[in-house]
Amino acid sequence: MMTDPTATVSRPSGAPQARNASRDPAQDAAAGASIQKRAALSPAAQEPDAGSRLGAPAAPSLGRETNHADAGGQRAGHGDGAPLLLVENLGKSFTLHLQGGLSLPVVSAVSLAVHAGECVALGGPSGAGKSSILKMVFGNYRVDKGSVLVADHDAMVEVAGAAPRLMLRLRRERIGYVSQFLRVIPRVSALDVVAAPLRAEGVDAETAKARAGALLTRLNLPERLWGLPPATFSGGEQQRVNVARGFISTQPLLLLDEPTASLDAANRAVVIDLICEKKAQGCGLLGIFHDAETRDAVADRVVDVTRFSA
Amino acid sequence: MSPQMTSHPDAPLLVAEGLAKYYGSRLGCRDVDLSLHAGEVLAIVGESGSGKSTLLGLLSTEMAPSAGRVSYRMRDGEMRDLAALSEAERRLLLRTDWGFVRQHAEQGLRMAVSAGGNVGERLMAVGWRHYGNIRDEAADWLARVEIATERMDDDPRTFSGGMRQRLQIARNLVTRPRLVFMDEPTSGLDVSVQARLLDLIRQLVEEFGLAVVIVTHDLAVARLLSHRIMVMKSGRVIEQGLTDQVLDDPREPYTQLLVSSVLAA
C-alpha cells in the first residue's frame, strides 16, 4: 500500500467518496494532514510517512469511526474517512478551592468529530461550555473525562493528559487556534506576531514575513501598523492580527473562538473567505461563531453544546 | 502512538531523580524528579521559601543533594552523573556548556572588570587567545544585548540594573551554552526594563534553542518565557505541566491561590 498521498489529496475536499471497508481510514487523516505538509515540505520529506503507513493499525480506528457515526448521528455525508479530530465522552468541571471546593460543572459526555474539509460550529448560549471544549482540544484546559483524539500523520494521538512536549508539538504541527483575544507580547511587532507560527515551522524569516504581510493586507490592517507591537491597537485591529496569526500556519485542524466578534462587515467577509480556503485545502475547522451570518456562511453543521450540559 | 514518535525520542539534556536537600533537619526540597530537553524552558514557581532556589542550586551543582541525583548529557552525548564529575570537569561545564544568570548581577559579574572583559573572560576560559578576536566577539555580544559599544570599556558598576542583567546574559551566552539557569533574572527591575529584558531573553532562547531552568515568583514571566511550569510549595512539587494549562486551569488549591493573586494589567 505504497500510496502516493497526492492521490487522496487531489480529490475535491468534501466530495462524496465511496465508503470502502478495506480502505485504511488512517490514511485519510494522514492525507488531510499531508496537504498541509505539502505546502511547506518537499515531496521527499514526506517519504517516511508514506512508508510507515504500511504498518498503520487500521482496525481500531475503523471501529471508532463506525461507532461514532452511528452513535453521534451528526454526520451529514461529509468527508467519509478518519476524522482530524475525534472527541468522545468528554467531561470537564472546575473545582474552585478558594470558594470552599465549589465544583463547577462545565460539560459532560461531549462527542463530536471533525473531518478534513469541513467546518463544524459549536452552538449554544454563552456559558454552555463552547470555549472550554476548544480549550480542551488545544490542551489549554485539562480533560477530566473522555478522550480527544487528533490526527497525527498515520495515528490518532490522545490530547487528554498528553505530556507537555507532545502537546507543544501537536500545536506546532497539527492544531491551530485563533483565540478570542490576542495575548500581546511586549515589544514584538504585529508582523512578527503573525509570522511567528511559520517561523516555528522552520520557514525562513523573509518568506514568513512576506506571507504575514500578505495576510495583514487582506485583512485591511494598514501597513504603517505592521512594525508596531499590537498592545495599543484597537480591538478589531488586534483581532485581525490574531486571525492572521491563526490562519498563516499550516496545521490541518484549526480551532476558532469567535474569530469575527469585533470585526466590521468587510473584514468579516475576509475571514469567511479565509475559512472557506482552509476547507478547500482540506483543513478541518471547529469554531464558535455568535454571528449567524458568518456561521451560516462557513459551517457545514452545528453541534448544539447544550446537549452536553453537565 | 505512531512508531516514528517513539522511535526517535531525543534524549533529555538534564535529568533529576529523587532529588532532596535538607539543611540539618529543615527541608529544602524533596522528591523532585524532572527531565529537561534541549530547547525547553522550564519555569519553577512558588513563593519565598518554597524550595525553588534550593532546587536550582541542586540542579546546577552549586549544592550537593541530600538524596537523589542529577545527570547531564555532555556534548559527546554521554549521560553523566554530575556528582561523579571531577572538579575540573564540573568547572569546565559551568564555564562552557552552562550559563547562570543571577538575580543580583554583582554575583554573576566581575564588577571591577570592564563589560568587554566580563564577556571576553568566558571566551578565554574556553581557549580563545587572540585579543582582537575576543574583543570583536565581545563587542558583537554587547550589541546583541543592546549595550552600546562605547560602554565596552566601562565596568558594570557604572551600569543600570537592566544593563547589568543584559551584560550577564551576554557573558553567559558567549560560549554558546546549551543550558542556562536563571534565578529571578527580572525581579527588582522597573517594569519597562523588565519587558525589554524578557523580550531579549525570549529571542535568544529561540535563536539558540537554549534549554532554560528559570526560577521566578512572577507568573507573567513564567507565562511569557516557559513551555512548562513546576509549582513548588513547602519543598515539594505540587503541580506541573504545560505552562498555559497550569496557569489557565490550575488544579491545586495553592496554584489557584497563586494564579488568582496576580493583578491583571
Side-chain angles (χ1 to χ4, degrees), chain A residues 92 95 140 142 165 171, chain B residues 5 10 239 244 249 256:
Chain A
K92 170 81 184 164
T95 305
N140 178 226
R142 295 184 238 227
R165 267 163 59 80
R171 289 179 182 180
Chain B
M5 277 177 45
D10 45 342
E239 183 161 9
D244 63 277
D249 186 8
Q256 291 188 358

Side-chain angles (χ1 to χ4, degrees), chain B residues 20-21 32 34 40 47 99 115 126 137 185 202-203 246:
Chain B
K21 176 72 180 176
V32 180
L34 68 84
E40 233 180 356
E47 289 173 342
V126 294
E137 184 74 2
R202 199 184 53 79
Q203 279 180 25
V246 170

Side-chain angles (χ1 to χ4, degrees), chain A residues 6-7 26 31 67 75 135 140 173 192 205 238 259 266 270-271 298:
Chain A
T6 55
N67 284 345
R75 297 282 300 280
K135 287 177 177 182
N140 178 226
E173 300 174 0
D192 285 336
Q238 288 197 6
V270 176
V271 174
V298 301

Side-chain angles (χ1 to χ4, degrees), chain A residues 100-212:
Chain A
L102 178 72
S103 177
L104 210 64
V106 182
V107 287
S108 76
V110 180
S111 292
L112 58 89
V114 177
H115 292 76
E118 70 171 345
C119 178
V120 178
L122 296 175
S126 293
K130 302 185 296 296
S131 288
S132 294
I133 293 173
L134 289 191
K135 287 177 177 182
M136 281 187 276
V137 173
F138 197 59
N140 178 226
Y141 280 180
R142 295 184 238 227
V143 171
D144 291 348
K145 275 182 68 182
S147 155
V148 176
L149 295 169
V150 170
D152 180 29
H153 302 280
D154 58 356
M156 295 297 281
V157 174
E158 181 61 75
V159 162
R165 267 163 59 80
L166 171 60
M167 198 63 239
L168 291 172
R169 185 180 68 75
L170 289 175
R171 289 179 182 180
R172 210 163 47 235
E173 300 174 0
R174 301 282 119 190
I175 317 170
Y177 178 47
V178 179
S179 59
Q180 215 168 343
F181 301 103
L182 179 67
R183 191 177 282 281
V184 180
I185 302 169
R187 302 217 319 162
V188 181
S189 75
L191 196 65
D192 285 336
V193 167
V194 175
L198 276 189
R199 298 283 293 127
E201 289 179 23
V203 175
D204 67 274
E206 203 176 323
T207 310
K209 285 189 183 191
R211 300 234 334 249

Side-chain angles (χ1 to χ4, degrees), chain A residues 2-49:
Chain A
M2 279 300 294
T3 338
D4 175 4
T6 55
T8 39
V9 169
S10 60
R11 83 186 147 86
S13 70
Q17 178 197 327
R19 193 182 274 277
N20 178 350
S22 70
R23 195 191 145 83
D24 176 359
Q27 204 179 88
D28 244 18
S34 61
I35 294 169
Q36 302 309 315
K37 286 184 64 182
R38 269 154 44 79
L41 300 178
S42 68
Q46 291 181 55
E47 277 314 304
D49 287 331

